[in-house]
């Protein structure tokens, strides 16, 4: 943990003031160094009182996705051990991709308070207002053949599904990458990968999860079809906690993938999505397919039965 996180640890230990001397001796820092870190923390939005002769006391913590805040909730051993925090960025997926090309370790995450060019699938945009939601990208390096990497899409939506359950919601999964609550989109995920010959070099799992976004903060185009944790529960959430919980759940499903293979992930998603037998309409590059879902193929494709003819759909947008 870095120094900032360590100093915060001391400040959180007690409700009363804690002396600068005590912190400096425990961390092997000078009093001036401790004071400089406290000043830095204040600039980051932490309210820290100073009382002459007594020391420092932490009054309030800002709602920011600082790595040391996320790590307070992290039980995962691999995912999120390195977190790159950006206040503002074009796209967390784009930065994670760059880091992965530069040999960043598996499990490295990028989080941002806002994205200026958040990406959806097929050149669509992901609306990413400042300090409201989660914009997260994780680098994975699974040993998979490129042809069996697609089910990783399900890994992220399953992790979000479980996280929302932990907050008492009843989400639904929509093929391939959406999580809905009461029919509205609360999360979208975007998978990007780099392959060479028969090998996946890395996968970037991008997750946009709406946490504290209110109706009035949404653009017209999504207002009637999007929702957030706050809108569904009337509670404002500590995003660092949501992020930590999500990473823990992601690791659970990543372990499932590593121990049991991609087909297991597909079957788990299929079961939780309760997709079999649903009447669906799928739009794929302008073409519309209608039918009854037979389930998900081993490689992740949607199997749609149109009067006895089964279409195997690998990309598209579903409406029920
Ligand atoms: C997705 O695309 O749902 C994938 C979204 C992935 C976003 C994350 S954020 C972190 C990481 N970094 C990135 O740059 N991206 C990933 P798609 O299925 O194509 O859905 C896009 C559509 O969802 C848009 O055209 C809007 O209609 C709608 N939309 C946009 N922003 C939204 C939001 N915040 N909440 C709900 N719906 C939204």
């Amino acid at each position: 943990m870095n120094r900032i996180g360590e100093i915060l640890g001391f400040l959180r230990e007690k409700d009363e003031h804690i002396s600068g001397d005590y912190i400096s001796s425990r961390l092997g820092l000078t009093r001036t160094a401790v004071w400089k870190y406290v000043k830095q923390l204040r600039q980051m939005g932490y309210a820290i009182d100073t009382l002459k002769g007594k020391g420092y006391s932490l009054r309030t913590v800002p709602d920011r996705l600082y790595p040391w805040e996320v790590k307070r909730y992290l039980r995962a051993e691999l995912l999120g051990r390195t977190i790159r925090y950006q206040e503002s960025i074009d796209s967390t997926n784009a930065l994670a991709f760059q880091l992965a090309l530069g040999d960043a370790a598996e499990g490295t995450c990028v989080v941002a308070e806002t994205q200026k060019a958040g990406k959806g699938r097929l050149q669509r945009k992901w609306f990413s207002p400042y300090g409201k939601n989660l914009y997260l990208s994780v680098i994975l390096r699974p040993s998979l053949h490129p042809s069996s990497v697609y089910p990783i899409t399900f890994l992220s939506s399953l992790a979000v599904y479980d996280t929302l359950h932990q907050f008492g919601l009843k989400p639904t999964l929509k093929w391939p990458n959406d999580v809905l609550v009461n029919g509205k989109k609360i999360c979208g995920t975007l998978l990007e990968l780099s392959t060479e010959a028969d090998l996946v070099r890395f996968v970037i799992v991008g997750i946009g999860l709406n946490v504290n976004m209110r109706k009035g903060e949404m653009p017209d185009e999504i207002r009637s079809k999007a929702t957030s944790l706050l809108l569904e529960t009337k509670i404002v959430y500590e995003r660092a906690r949501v992020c930590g919980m999500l990473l823990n759940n992601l690791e659970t499903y990543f372990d499932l993938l590593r121990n049991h293979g991609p087909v297991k992930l597909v079957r788990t998603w299929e079961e939780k999505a309760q997709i079999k037998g649903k009447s669906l309409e799928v739009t794929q590059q302008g073409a519309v397919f209608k039918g009854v879902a037979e389930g998900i193929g081993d490689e992740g494709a949607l199997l749609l039965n149109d009067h006895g003819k089964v279409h195997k759909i690998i990309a598209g947008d579903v409406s029920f």
Side-chain angles (χ1 to χ4, degrees):
M1 215 197 325
N2 66 13
R3 290 297 194 205
I4 290 274
E6 285 175 328
I7 289 179
L8 272 171
F10 283 112
L11 293 175
R12 280 192 161 113
E13 247 176 36
K14 296 186 199 151
D15 283 341
E16 63 234 50
H17 286 75
I18 184 154
S19 82
D21 270 343
Y22 176 71
I23 301 176
S24 60
S25 67
R26 288 289 301 272
L27 292 181
L29 294 169
T30 62
R31 290 247 359 223
T32 315
V34 172
W35 175 78
K36 279 189 181 152
Y37 281 120
V38 168
K39 201 169 145 196
Q40 213 176 317
L41 280 164
R42 285 187 179 131
Q43 280 160 357
M44 288 174 168
Y46 292 84
I48 300 169
D49 291 337
T50 318
L51 197 64
K52 225 174 165 174
K54 289 225 164 191
Y56 305 109
S57 145
L58 180 63
R59 201 155 32 87
T60 56
V61 172
D63 177 32
R64 290 284 173 269
L65 293 165
Y66 296 135
W68 49 86
E69 296 296 342
V70 174
K71 285 181 186 179
R72 295 178 67 214
Y73 302 100
L74 210 59
R75 288 190 321 276
E77 281 169 15
L78 180 68
L79 306 194
R81 286 293 143 203
T82 303
I83 298 177
R84 170 81 174 258
Y85 172 83
Q86 297 286 130
E87 187 158 23
S88 173
I89 197 170
D90 286 349
S91 152
T92 55
N93 260 36
L95 176 58
F97 205 95
Q98 287 305 317
L99 295 175
L101 286 174
D103 290 336
E106 181 166 59
T108 300
C109 296
V110 178
V111 293
E113 301 293 352
T114 183
Q115 298 184 115
K116 299 293 174 212
K119 296 190 276 185
R121 293 177 303 144
L122 310 164
Q123 317 293 325
R124 290 189 283 232
K125 291 196 178 96
W126 189 253
F127 178 63
S128 313
Y130 185 93
K132 295 285 163 187
N133 302 323
L134 278 189
Y135 318 112
L136 164 74
S137 298
V138 185
I139 300 172
L140 300 180
R141 299 184 183 276
S143 24
L144 289 175
H145 188 270
S147 63
S148 51
V149 82
Y150 188 80
I152 290 191
T153 297
F154 301 140
L155 190 148
S156 43
S157 44
L158 282 167
V160 170
Y161 179 93
D162 285 5
T163 307
L164 295 175
H165 257 283
Q166 287 164 335
F167 288 115
L169 292 177
K170 291 201 167 53
T172 47
L173 294 169
K174 190 175 116 179
W175 186 88
N177 65 327
D178 289 353
V179 185
L180 313 179
V181 175
N182 290 323
K184 293 181 176 175
K185 185 157 168 169
I186 195 164
C187 168
T189 66
L190 178 68
L191 204 69
E192 294 186 282
L193 57 146
S194 165
T195 57
E196 65 187 48
D198 285 345
L199 187 85
V200 171
R201 280 168 67 205
F202 60 81
V203 179
I204 306 299
V205 176
I207 303 178
L209 173 61
N210 299 334
V211 181
N212 292 327
M213 183 163 66
R214 294 170 203 270
K215 274 259 177 284
E217 290 156 346
M218 296 180 185
D220 290 348
E221 64 170 286
I222 65 164
R223 195 166 297 144
S224 62
K225 47 186 189 176
T227 192
S228 69
L229 264 161
L230 166 63
L231 287 174
E232 295 301 323
T233 62
K234 317 291 177 236
I235 295 170
V236 174
Y237 291 84
E238 184 191 346
R239 287 174 306 131
R241 174 166 170 240
V242 181
C243 188
M245 288 167 64
L246 177 55
L247 285 166
N248 295 339
N249 290 329
L250 259 182
E251 185 154 297
T252 302
Y253 285 107
F254 191 44
D255 284 344
L256 187 79
L257 170 75
R258 286 191 295 188
N259 296 332
H260 301 280
V263 177
K264 178 74 181 164
L265 211 51
V266 170
R267 296 295 145 241
T268 309
W269 187 93
E270 185 183 59
E271 198 181 299
K272 292 204 181 190
Q274 298 182 323
I275 194 170
K276 282 186 190 172
K278 272 189 188 162
S279 291
L280 304 178
E281 192 177 292
V282 187
T283 317
Q284 188 187 32
Q285 288 166 349
V288 179
F289 299 90
K290 283 184 188 169
V292 176
E294 285 205 343
I296 307 294
D298 282 354
E299 65 302 303
L302 173 65
L303 306 175
L304 199 64
N305 189 325
D306 178 8
H307 299 96
K309 184 165 186 255
V310 178
H311 298 286
K312 203 172 179 182
I313 298 167
I314 45 170
D317 290 297
V318 167
S319 43
F320 295 110

